[in-house]
Amino acid sequence: MRPLLLASLALLALPGHAEVTYSEDIRPLWQQRCSTCHGAASPYWGEWQKEKDSHKKRQIGPRMDSYAELLHFVGWPQTGALMRQLDDGARNGKGKPGGMYQHLGASEAERQANLAIFRAWVGEEAWNGKHWQDKKDQAGITKAELERLRLAY
């Protein structure tokens, strides 16, 4: 419960604006926590996918160094990937954090605070990690769910 409280307080403490935006909140956080593996030197998704295993071994993720590139991993074509990778597992029904959750901070409190910022940017009601199409036991994302995406620049 304490990490959730700290995350909520972190959102309230965002300086000077009520809405979480890419340019003011996500980009600096992304540069600090994600750019080493997902920066301009990283391959675009299609190229990354061709040598996924090799890239993973060298800790190179797909390129996400702009608003447009990051949107590929939220809305389309890699719908929900950002949410699945950054999620803490508390509400995803699996209880297991996504593979990139650990990189959101050095402590659980910092990870929760940074996750809260990403969740607010995407939209609390839009944070579901669904794929574009049906996958195994999960229905694909609906138009109504897509319309809940916030993603302010």
Side-chain angles (χ1 to χ4, degrees):
M1 184 71 162
R2 186 171 181 190
L4 186 56
L5 176 61
L6 291 172
S8 299
L9 291 174
L11 270 182
L12 293 173
L14 288 174
H17 55 89
E19 183 178 37
V20 174
T21 67
Y22 173 80
S23 57
E24 294 294 322
D25 306 297
I26 297 301
R27 184 182 331 163
L29 176 55
W30 181 90
Q31 287 172 333
Q32 179 188 23
R33 305 297 319 172
C34 312
S35 65
T36 302
C37 299
H38 297 280
S42 295
Y44 289 107
W45 171 255
E47 291 299 316
W48 183 86
Q49 194 66 14
K50 289 178 183 177
E51 297 182 38
K52 177 171 51 174
D53 293 335
S54 172
H55 290 311
K56 282 183 176 182
K57 285 179 186 172
R58 294 180 293 141
Q59 295 186 332
I60 297 171
R63 187 173 180 171
M64 298 180 189
D65 67 327
S66 70
Y67 177 77
E69 285 302 318
L70 196 54
L71 290 186
H72 285 206
F73 299 92
V74 176
W76 187 84
Q78 299 306 316
T79 311
L82 180 82
M83 291 82 99
R84 290 188 300 276
Q85 289 298 315
L86 294 182
D87 197 72
D88 64 357
R91 293 181 258 183
N92 67 10
K94 298 176 184 174
K96 181 180 173 190
M100 297 296 114
Y101 175 71
Q102 66 185 344
H103 300 291
L104 283 176
S107 67
E108 183 63 18
E110 183 182 6
R111 286 187 290 274
Q112 285 293 311
N114 289 337
L115 176 61
I117 294 168
F118 270 103
R119 288 178 73 103
W121 178 62
V122 169
E124 192 65 38
E125 293 181 6
W127 189 273
N128 62 42
K130 289 185 176 180
H131 295 266
W132 186 253
Q133 297 177 327
D134 295 352
K135 293 279 184 180
K136 298 179 185 171
D137 60 345
Q138 184 185 48
I141 197 163
T142 66
K143 182 178 185 261
E145 290 167 328
L146 283 171
E147 289 172 346
R148 293 183 192 132
L149 291 171
R150 309 288 295 172
L151 308 171
Y153 184 81

